[in-house]
Amino acid sequence: MSDIDSRTEQKRPVTPSTILAAELREVTELLADVASIPPELMNRITRMRDLATGLDPYLERCTTQESPALAALSQRTHTADWASRPVEQEMLSGQVEGQLLKFLVHMTGATRVLEIGMFTGYSALAMAEALPPHGEVVACEIDEYVADFARRSFAESAAGARIVVEVGPASETLRRLDGTSHPFDLVFIDADKTGYLDYYRMLLDTDLLAANAVIVVDNTLMQGQPYAPADGRTANGDAIADFNSYIAGDPRVQQVLLPLRDGVTLVRRISR
């Protein structure tokens, strides 16, 4: 097994690229013993497999490496037992997306960041590392157990002091924050997919956003479900398809959907 294959197989395929890579690996294995397959066709299938399988590891190698604090948080998350919890380790943002979020914090000059859906805190800590000393991340998380898990990691990092964890339904937290705090320069949405549209509408219809704020939305490709045949969609797939369609038709914003990991959409308001 190649180094690329061994690294990729350690992770459950949950993004369009990793699902495609897994499918192509299985197809290649099924066809390997079929004598009637022309060598040229087999070579092309093998090349397709290698292109798909090698993409994510290559992105990781060519992206700035995570800090020791983020690496420790990632390791702690991947070795924890989540079997009895309504969450899974694949919810972790990871190195490439974490570095994108840090890049966006630097690029926008953000000092106030809002995160809707924190999980174990990888993305919150990544963004906090990019903030100036007086900056702040307000991270919303509904699960008290997960919030405590994240707090323990934050306590081991100097940047963790810039994170305020709000436990409870995010919609309630947003209503409470509206008009009572300084607006946010950057917002990262990575919570319950069926709630995405409500969170988005609340952000656009309140005073929570600074004038030049950027909204970053995770999982907007949702394992390929939004553009795959509708009969194979889950409830989350339907929710993301509806969300993407709504954003694409909203004249108040400009947006771009990036095929990074499970899809990342960048949104900025151009008019009220």
Side-chain angles (χ1 to χ4, degrees):
M1 179 182 294
S2 71
D3 184 47
I4 288 177
D5 288 341
S6 63
R7 279 177 302 187
T8 303
E9 286 190 349
Q10 292 174 359
K11 301 177 182 179
R12 183 168 66 89
V14 292
T15 69
S17 62
T18 56
I19 293 170
L20 177 61
E23 290 287 340
L24 286 170
R25 281 199 306 272
E26 292 184 15
V27 168
T28 305
E29 292 169 3
L30 289 170
L31 295 178
D33 297 326
V34 179
S36 60
I37 300 294
E40 179 182 354
L41 177 58
M42 195 65 205
N43 288 339
R44 294 181 69 176
I45 293 172
T46 300
R47 176 170 168 75
M48 292 164 59
R49 177 204 64 189
D50 292 344
L51 284 171
T53 303
L55 178 60
D56 278 8
Y58 187 71
L59 292 178
E60 292 173 4
R61 289 199 302 274
C62 294
T63 296
T64 298
Q65 295 303 298
E66 59 196 358
S67 68
L70 286 172
L73 193 159
S74 178
Q75 177 67 17
R76 187 176 294 118
T77 300
H78 285 297
T79 55
D81 181 10
W82 301 107
S84 62
R85 310 298 305 180
V87 292
E88 53 189 11
Q89 65 182 35
E90 285 82 10
M91 294 168 65
L92 191 82
S93 297
Q95 174 205 344
V96 177
E97 190 168 356
Q99 292 302 313
L100 171 67
L101 291 170
K102 291 182 72 169
F103 204 100
L104 290 170
V105 171
H106 283 299
M107 180 182 292
T108 60
T111 59
R112 292 268 296 162
V113 175
L114 174 65
E115 179 172 60
I116 303 174
M118 180 181 67
F119 188 42
T120 58
Y122 189 98
S123 50
L125 184 57
M127 292 185 288
E129 288 183 345
L131 286 172
H134 63 283
E136 182 180 62
V137 176
V138 176
C140 304
E141 174 54 50
I142 196 169
D143 189 317
E144 181 68 59
Y145 176 88
V146 174
D148 285 339
F149 188 104
R151 289 189 185 103
R152 290 193 292 273
S153 294
F154 298 159
E156 299 174 4
S157 167
R162 301 176 194 139
I163 304 171
V164 175
V165 180
E166 296 278 358
V167 179
S171 57
E172 295 180 8
T173 301
L174 296 185
R175 280 192 288 270
R176 178 167 49 80
L177 291 174
D178 182 29
T180 65
S181 66
H182 296 296
F184 295 96
D185 308 301
L186 184 70
V187 180
F188 181 47
I189 302 177
D190 185 17
D192 55 303
K193 311 313 167 193
T194 56
Y196 270 25
L197 260 179
D198 288 337
Y199 301 138
Y200 172 82
R201 289 182 179 125
M202 190 173 296
L203 290 169
L204 269 288
D205 296 337
T206 63
D207 295 321
L208 287 166
L209 295 181
N212 297 314
V214 172
I215 303 173
V216 185
V217 190
D218 199 16
N219 301 116
T220 47
L221 287 180
M222 197 63 203
Q223 303 177 8
Q225 292 184 38
Y227 60 87
D231 58 0
R233 284 184 192 162
T234 62
N236 282 342
D238 282 334
I240 293 298
D242 291 342
F243 175 81
N244 290 341
S245 178
Y246 185 91
I247 297 295
D250 190 344
R252 298 173 295 174
V253 300
Q254 178 186 28
Q255 75 287 334
V256 57
L257 200 169
L258 305 175
L260 172 68
R261 201 167 178 262
D262 201 26
V264 176
T265 297
L266 307 182
V267 184
R268 74 179 187 92
R269 183 165 53 192
I270 56 177
S271 66
R272 289 194 73 102

